[in-house]
Amino acid sequence: MIVNLGAGKPSREHKGETYHFCSQGCHDKFAADPEHFVSGQLKRETLPKGTKYTCPMHPEIVRDEPGDCPICGMALEPMGIPDADEGPNPELVDFKRRFLIGAVLTVPLLVLTMGPYVGLGAVREVLGERVTLWVELILGTPVILWAGWPFFLRGVKSVINLSLNMFTLIAMGVGAAYLFSVVAVLVPGIFPAGFRDPEGNVGVYAVIVVLVLLGQVMELGARERTGAAIRALLDLAAKTARVIRADGREEEIPLEDVKVGDRLRVRPGDKVPVDGVVVEGRSSIDESMISGEPVPVEKVEGDTVTGATINGTGSLVMKAERVGADTMLAQIVEMVANAQRSRAPIQKLADAVAGKFVPAVIVIAIISFISWGIWGPVPALSYGLVSAVAVLIIACPCALGLATPMSIMTATGRGAQAGVLIKNAEALERFAKVDTLIVDKTGTLTVGKPKLVAVLPEDGHDEAEVLRLAASLERGSEHPLAEAIVTGAEERGVAFAKAEDFEAVTGKGVKGIVDGKPVALGNAKLVADLGLDGGAISETANARRDEGETVMFVVIGSEIAGLVSVADPVKETTPDALKALHAQGFRIVMATGDNERTAKAVAGRLGIDEIRADVLPEDKARIIKALQDEGRKVAMAGDGVNDAPALAQADVGVAMGTGADVAIESAGFTLVKGDLNGIVRARRLARATMRNIKQNLFFALVYNAAGVPVAAGVLYPVLGILISPIFAAAAMSLSSLSVVGNALRLRSVEI
């Protein structure tokens, strides 16, 4: 049965579940539940069972149920990929409600207390001073005890958990301010003249709670906006797909009902529903969603297409290959979500400072109270109470806690928009310090789709036969060079034979039996292992390598039968990207399994600083280790399975998104498009983020270093300045907003 919880608003059904509108009109996706509010927070019942919750400031805190972080007191947030239709953060909704009601009650308080300064003193005259003070107390009490109740709860929990945090200070400050206000109503005469209005009365400081709530609402709103990148990505996905049934009938179905193997029609202007391959038709696809490049890409039969990209004017029929959580879009969203919850090493500094800062502030507040009580002017205790309250409020380390997480969350979202996926915050921080970049040649500097350019048989051997045997053997290999030879043989109409006893010799080549003959194909190392001497044909091979071609020996039986030469063109974007990387201070090293001559030919054209040729996969990790031992900070860019150990060894691994899944898993960054311009963007983003974090920490620390002594009254003997708790609350909120505003600048940083 559908129960309507909303005031005249209908419920709805979605994916087989019934959702209902909030009776307060503040949220539109709640399952029927008699306990709509629990501990002052809205319940988010739309999340799947088994959802874990974590703290946005302390990702190491993971719980099975929602609640508060035992370290900092902030509300835990659900982990995993959010629902694209999910409403706002329940904590934000609740705090907004408390702020609005508190503000409504505080406005008349301001009129009563500040009226004499703005020509509204007649209100107090009509009511009378004692009545006015009691009205202030009546209006202020619900603001303190209801609107500010979450602060008291979290403050008490922080003491129970022996983890003093910003809510400890807020609770102590607000509580002290409330007692201050109550005493001001009951016995206003004990306060010094500097804190009285023109009539000799003392105002009720309920406005402190409203100011603190305003700061919290703006912080939560900013955190909500940092998730906008994820929601924007989710919104890119198509909502439906047009499936072609076995009888040829076409039907529109929800995206979640698409299965692997389904044939789907993609009409002009439609979004590609899932990842797959084109089986019919021709069109141009706008892939800027995943690559950041606005130029449409031509797609024909056999080409892969990615879900959420936009079809042009042609009509396509595609076969679904990856659906649901397996699509590239879903993986991008998950990576961004995980990165936003990760912690940068620099966060340890903020944690260490905050851990010592809160107890230090409490001690300073106590010392301030005692000092004023002993040496302050009459009434000394009143001055002491005011200064202690101001210290507790102005020193709230909200800004310090937000400094790093806000920048990281914003930066990871910005990176996703530019096709740079960041695995975690640590990789982002490390990449800003990298000085050496190691790149693989095939698939990184080059297109990664080599083509057969020549077959050079030795005397006594036929060109077609040499190619036939080599291609037949290479059909068992998945290496890009093998694919080039096989494709070249197919284009020349070569008839393949069956290969037996196939063996891939890592970093050297392949061996096997074809038509009963032992056949081997590989580099000079493989030839040497077979006990053969290249002789004169090696000079021919070297000449081709000097032109940048990759040359392999074909061995039939016990003699070298010829050479096959393959060329892999350099990506158009590579030269400009390398110039930009050099400009950013990188020393670029090319590590490749190719012969040194081939490597030098490519490096010479591209201006690469250093080459390491004839490198086996395990050698790349050793090269990185040796550079690290020299004190270098090393990043490795690669795309193959054999690059995974090197990517893991490097200070930062950069995986080309066009490469193997295991390489992507081993890397700190993934470049969706798979070219070196992505590394340029990643470097700019990393440096901009670290600058932003340092600016935030500076703002937070300098603010507190300056604000606490002033609030304690060090300037009073010289300048007569003593900060009121109201101004302390306003200043505390502004400090947090300065950090939030600075972090959000990363959303528009040029990378």
Side-chain angles (χ1 to χ4, degrees):
M1 181 177 74
I2 297 178
V3 178
N4 182 11
L5 295 182
K9 300 178 182 179
S11 60
R12 63 180 179 180
E13 293 190 12
H14 176 67
K15 297 182 183 179
E17 297 180 76
T18 301
Y19 297 95
H20 309 271
F21 289 92
C22 163
S23 59
Q24 282 75 19
C26 57
H27 203 295
D28 69 349
K29 279 194 67 178
F30 285 95
D33 190 332
E35 297 178 3
H36 186 65
F37 293 93
V38 176
S39 300
Q41 293 186 6
L42 297 175
K43 296 179 69 176
R44 186 177 286 186
E45 296 290 349
T46 58
L47 294 169
K49 291 183 178 179
T51 295
K52 300 288 186 179
Y53 297 81
T54 187
C55 173
M57 301 297 184
H58 300 89
E60 70 273 21
I61 302 298
V62 178
R63 297 287 186 267
D64 294 328
E65 296 178 350
D68 298 331
C69 173
I71 297 177
C72 69
M74 300 193 74
L76 302 182
E77 296 182 346
M79 299 174 66
I81 299 176
D83 188 331
D85 297 325
E86 188 176 286
N89 183 343
E91 184 186 22
L92 175 58
V93 172
D94 184 39
F95 272 43
K96 277 184 178 179
R97 182 166 52 94
R98 291 176 186 273
F99 167 72
L100 290 174
I101 294 175
V104 168
L105 294 173
T106 302
V107 167
L109 279 175
L110 287 174
V111 172
L112 291 172
T113 56
M114 304 300 292
Y117 298 101
V118 292
L120 297 176
V123 177
R124 297 183 72 98
E125 294 177 4
V126 171
L127 294 176
E129 291 304 325
R130 291 303 298 169
V131 173
T132 299
L133 290 176
W134 279 102
V135 170
E136 290 175 351
L137 182 62
I138 292 170
L139 290 173
T141 295
V143 177
I144 300 289
L145 299 184
W146 178 79
W149 186 246
F151 303 149
F152 290 108
L153 283 179
R154 294 177 183 183
V156 171
K157 287 181 180 179
S158 72
V159 175
I160 294 174
N161 294 329
L162 300 179
S163 180
L164 304 183
N165 54 51
M166 60 183 176
F167 290 106
T168 314
L169 297 185
I170 291 174
M172 292 180 68
V174 170
Y178 178 64
L179 294 176
F180 175 84
S181 300
V182 171
V183 175
V185 173
L186 299 178
V187 281
I190 72 169
F191 290 97
F195 291 89
R196 299 171 188 266
D197 61 23
E199 306 302 325
N201 298 303
V202 180
V204 180
Y205 290 104
V207 69
I208 292 174
V209 170
V210 176
L211 288 172
V212 174
L213 276 170
L214 175 61
Q216 289 290 297
V217 166
M218 298 189 77
E219 289 170 13
L220 289 167
R223 278 191 5 228
E224 188 89 345
R225 288 194 295 276
T226 60
I230 295 180
R231 285 187 290 275
L233 287 170
L234 288 169
D235 288 340
L236 290 174
K239 302 298 184 287
T240 61
R242 194 170 187 84
V243 66
I244 303 174
R245 301 299 186 188
D247 58 4
R249 179 172 49 88
E250 296 186 9
E251 180 183 351
E252 199 87 11
I253 62 173
L255 187 66
E256 57 269 22
D257 291 344
V258 175
K259 298 180 176 58
V260 173
D262 280 351
R263 286 166 54 88
L264 307 172
R265 170 84 63 189
V266 186
R267 295 174 296 186
D270 282 355
K271 290 181 178 179
V272 176
V274 295
D275 297 356
V277 62
V278 176
V279 296
E280 183 183 319
R282 182 187 190 94
S283 186
S284 294
I285 301 288
D286 178 358
E287 295 187 333
S288 57
M289 179 277 293
I290 59 171
S291 67
E293 299 293 338
V295 180
V297 180
E298 190 76 13
K299 297 291 182 180
V300 297
E301 184 177 341
D303 288 341
T304 58
V305 289
T306 305
T309 55
I310 302 174
N311 187 24
T313 57
S315 179
L316 298 174
V317 176
M318 63 171 288
K319 179 181 178 182
E321 292 189 335
R322 294 195 296 182
V323 303
D326 295 329
T327 63
M328 178 180 289
L329 178 62
Q331 292 172 2
I332 289 174
V333 171
E334 183 173 11
M335 183 175 286
V336 173
N338 290 337
Q340 289 190 342
R341 289 192 298 268
S342 63
R343 291 163 61 80
I346 198 172
Q347 176 68 25
K348 295 178 182 177
L349 171 63
D351 289 345
V353 172
K356 295 179 174 58
F357 185 75
V358 174
V361 166
I362 294 174
V363 171
I364 291 172
I366 294 172
I367 293 174
S368 176
F369 178 79
I370 294 173
S371 298
W372 279 98
I374 297 175
W375 295 293
V378 177
L381 291 179
S382 298
Y383 275 107
L385 177 61
V386 170
S387 64
V389 170
V391 166
L392 290 172
I393 293 175
I394 202 169
C396 175
C398 311
L400 190 61
L402 288 168
T404 299
M406 280 299 305
S407 296
I408 295 298
M409 294 171 73
T410 307
T412 50
R414 177 70 182 92
Q417 293 171 345
V420 178
L421 304 183
I422 303 163
K423 187 174 185 179
N424 52 48
E426 183 175 1
L428 195 65
E429 180 173 340
R430 286 185 174 185
F431 198 52
K433 303 174 183 176
V434 166
D435 54 33
T436 303
L437 174 65
I438 295 182
V439 295
D440 187 26
K441 181 174 77 71
T442 304
T444 302
L445 297 175
T446 63
V447 174
K449 294 183 179 180
K451 293 184 178 181
L452 178 67
V453 295
V455 180
L456 307 172
E458 281 281 70
D459 293 339
H461 293 275
D462 178 67
E463 177 180 335
E465 180 66 6
V466 170
L467 178 58
R468 185 181 75 86
L469 294 174
S472 297
L473 180 62
E474 287 283 37
R475 290 179 77 184
S477 173
E478 296 181 352
H479 195 281
L481 298 179
E483 183 180 350
I485 294 171
V486 172
T487 302
E490 290 174 342
E491 292 173 350
R492 300 184 188 194
V494 170
F496 293 94
K498 183 179 180 181
E500 299 176 339
D501 297 334
F502 176 84
E503 178 186 356
V505 183
T506 303
K508 298 178 181 180
V510 294
K511 298 189 294 186
I513 305 295
V514 182
D515 285 347
K517 302 173 185 177
V519 179
L521 178 71
N523 57 24
K525 290 182 179 180
L526 181 64
V527 172
D529 287 350
L530 295 173
L532 301 176
D533 182 6
I537 198 171
S538 294
E539 296 180 7
T540 303
N542 288 336
R544 309 288 300 204
R545 288 171 181 142
D546 288 341
E547 298 299 319
E549 297 176 12
T550 300
V551 182
M552 290 160 282
F553 295 90
V554 181
V555 179
I556 302 175
S558 58
E559 63 177 355
I560 298 175
L563 303 172
V564 290
S565 180
V566 172
D568 186 8
V570 172
K571 293 178 181 177
E572 292 182 4
T573 57
T574 296
D576 289 341
L578 289 176
K579 289 179 183 177
L581 291 170
H582 275 127
Q584 292 185 10
F586 281 108
R587 177 174 179 79
I588 300 173
V589 180
M590 182 175 74
T592 177
D594 269 346
N595 178 276
E596 187 172 359
R597 285 177 175 267
T598 303
K600 282 183 175 179
V602 174
R605 293 202 303 269
L606 297 176
I608 290 173
D609 301 302
E610 185 180 342
I611 63 168
R612 303 293 178 93
D614 295 314
V615 172
L616 298 176
E618 57 269 24
D619 292 334
K620 292 180 182 179
R622 283 199 291 268
I623 291 170
I624 293 172
K625 181 66 167 61
L627 289 170
Q628 290 170 330
D629 290 341
E630 295 174 6
R632 289 189 171 275
K633 301 296 183 182
V634 184
M636 164 74 189
D639 69 338
V641 172
N642 60 356
D643 292 327
L647 291 170
Q649 174 64 44
D651 292 283
V652 180
V654 182
M656 301 301 177
T658 52
D661 289 343
V662 68
I664 293 173
E665 285 296 319
S666 303
F669 286 81
T670 298
L671 310 181
V672 174
K673 189 178 180 184
D675 71 58
L676 293 179
N677 277 324
I679 299 182
V680 177
R681 290 193 288 268
R683 172 70 156 206
R684 288 172 181 161
L685 180 61
R687 285 185 162 178
T689 303
M690 294 314 299
R691 281 197 305 270
N692 194 272
I693 289 174
K694 290 173 183 176
Q695 290 164 358
N696 285 347
L697 291 174
F698 176 81
F699 291 155
L701 292 173
V702 168
Y703 162 81
N704 281 312
V708 171
V710 173
V714 295
L715 297 180
Y716 185 81
V718 180
L719 302 175
I721 296 176
L722 184 60
I723 295 178
S724 164
I726 290 179
F727 292 107
M732 181 268 290
S733 297
L734 289 174
S735 72
S736 297
L737 295 180
S738 67
V739 167
V740 168
N742 189 53
L744 291 179
R745 289 192 306 111
L746 288 171
R747 297 166 65 185
S748 57
V749 67
E750 288 293 330
I751 60 173

